Amino acid sequence: MIHVFNRKELLTTYSMDEYTKAKEVLAQNQIAYIIDTKTLSSPSPLGGQRDHTLGIDLSRCMEYKIYVNKKDFDRAKLLLQP
């Protein structure tokens, strides 16, 4: 089980493709992981998300973080190298 005390951040990316490939590699190699996502677009002052996207780089609106157990970190890092 991975929790805040035994995990290490393996990857931070804004690319859904990179995020998906990393998850697939980890799953194929039976490495447990947890994911943290964060929406980086600003909320509307009136509540909720803004409907307009003028001037916002949509490819960088979502941040993906993948964490693995500290004991699996070196192996996972090696597997994700190009």
Side-chain angles (χ1 to χ4, degrees):
M1 185 166 135
I2 299 172
H3 52 78
V4 71
F5 299 113
N6 73 353
R7 72 182 186 182
K8 190 168 180 177
E9 185 179 316
L10 176 67
L11 176 70
T12 300
T13 185
Y14 298 97
S15 165
M16 182 175 265
D17 289 338
E18 185 178 5
Y19 160 75
T20 303
K21 288 176 189 174
K23 284 185 3 177
E24 289 172 357
V25 168
L26 294 173
Q28 289 170 356
N29 288 279
Q30 290 84 39
I31 297 176
Y33 59 89
I34 58 172
I35 301 160
D36 184 26
T37 59
K38 185 188 303 184
T39 303
L40 301 176
S41 59
S42 300
S44 168
L46 303 176
Q49 292 297 103
R50 293 183 179 172
D51 292 331
H52 58 83
T53 57
L54 182 63
I56 296 175
D57 182 0
L58 296 178
S59 69
R60 300 191 56 86
C61 283
M62 186 70 85
E63 177 184 74
Y64 305 96
K65 288 188 179 189
I66 299 178
Y67 297 90
V68 296
N69 193 301
K70 288 178 183 179
K71 67 178 179 61
D72 296 325
F73 179 80
D74 290 334
R75 181 171 165 241
K77 193 71 169 174
L78 186 64
L79 289 168
L80 293 184
Q81 288 181 350

